[in-house]
Amino acid sequence: MRATDLLGLAVYDADGQLVGHVHDLRFAPPDDGGCLGYRLTALACGDRFTLGHRLGYRDDQMAGPWPMDRLFRRWAARARVVEWQDVVTVSASGIEIRRRRTDLGSALQDTR
Amino acid sequence: MSGQNLMGKSDSSQRIVVWANRALFDRLILGADGEPAGMVDDLELTERDGQLEWTAILCGPTALGPRIGGRIGAFWYAVGRRLRPYDDPSPLRIPLEVVASVSVRDVRLRVEAQELGLTRLRDWVQDKVIDRIPGNGGAR
């Protein structure tokens, strides 16, 4: 599998509601402190429109120009983090998770 | 691979984590000789013990095209496929075993880029085009 196979996929919560589309992948180093074997631990999901995310407005890598930063940051703030352990199925039609959208944490808080 | 200078941030449980867009995608790949070898266009993930692990870097137009998506991505993929010397459209694969370090600035390899075939297009252009231009001065 490639990262591209996950990026852009629609994510649906336990009620079948759309959470968003996968923007980004989060990795964690192995528990033994080694360097090989970074595990996929979470997905960042948001609007289909990902330009603000790709430009780095989600985690304050980008600043200005006004009003672009406010606009992009507002869009990026709606992104949610889905822990990989909550993923039930992954298919070409989308990803199903076992939690509800309202229970998911903000991607903005997760990266600061 | 050294994770020392990998751009890590802590998640809610205070563990160091790495976001692909921020610290991995589009990073410059440098061979052991310091020569640029390409960019990180995609990541290979392998399922192990029910979890997905990052096992290799994929680079080249046939890796970048699908990530761009849409018509531009399809065009880029088609260009890359036509430039391949054989029918296999698989992108160039760099296993993490040959990666020396990953940082927000670049990815450094333990081997020279030429060993992995990462400079094939550049070498072809050099041999077939640049070397045949009169007065090129033997530029290499």
Side-chain angles (χ1 to χ4, degrees), chain A residues 1 3-4 25 27 35 38 40, chain B residues 1 18 20 42-43 45 52 54:
Chain A
M1 178 184 270
T4 308
L25 309 177
F27 292 90
C35 293
Y38 274 70
L40 178 67
Chain B
M1 185 182 75
V18 177
D42 204 350
L43 309 174
L45 306 175
L52 287 176
W54 173 33

Side-chain angles (χ1 to χ4, degrees), chain A residues 16-39:
Chain A
Q17 299 294 312
L18 180 68
V19 175
H21 294 80
V22 179
H23 287 181
D24 205 348
L25 309 177
R26 192 183 74 191
F27 292 90
D31 293 332
D32 62 5
C35 293
L36 283 172
Y38 274 70
R39 290 173 295 107

Side-chain angles (χ1 to χ4, degrees), chain A residues 2-56:
Chain A
R2 295 192 201 174
T4 308
D5 295 334
L6 295 173
L7 294 172
L9 275 182
V11 178
Y12 299 94
D13 71 1
D15 297 328
Q17 299 294 312
L18 180 68
V19 175
H21 294 80
V22 179
H23 287 181
D24 205 348
L25 309 177
R26 192 183 74 191
F27 292 90
D31 293 332
D32 62 5
C35 293
L36 283 172
Y38 274 70
R39 290 173 295 107
L40 178 67
T41 55
L43 312 169
C45 309
D47 296 337
R48 185 180 279 276
F49 183 68
T50 61
L51 185 61
H53 183 96
R54 290 189 182 199
L55 290 176

